[in-house]
Amino acid sequence: MCHPGWAAARAEDVRLRRLRTLRRVRDRISRHRARPLDVPALAREAGLTPEALHRAFTEAYGTTPYAYVTALRAPVSFGEAPRGPGNLA
């Protein structure tokens, strides 16, 4: 018989793994923001479908991958100093 807390612990482990994966995706987008955004390639690397990546990224960060990279690129296009991912408006 399983311990009652194991299911909750397993669910938390899955949630934390997904967040680590999404953090890697977000960091890759940030590092390569000048390149065209390739969501299918990012999804393959994360082991997700493009749709699942889009949903999970939006749920975790409150913005889509495309909106995230656009916000990173905007200050550079307007001649401002680039802002880090934590400073997005």
Side-chain angles (χ1 to χ4, degrees), residues 26-64:
R26 185 194 64 194
D27 291 347
R28 180 151 192 254
I29 291 171
S30 296
R31 280 192 314 273
H32 304 289
R33 65 177 152 246
R35 296 181 187 170
L37 183 64
D38 186 0
V39 173
L42 291 170
R44 275 191 306 275
E45 290 177 20
L48 300 168
T49 65
E51 295 80 12
L53 175 63
H54 188 275
R55 272 193 310 271
F57 193 96
T58 303
E59 183 180 317
Y61 298 112
T63 186
T64 66

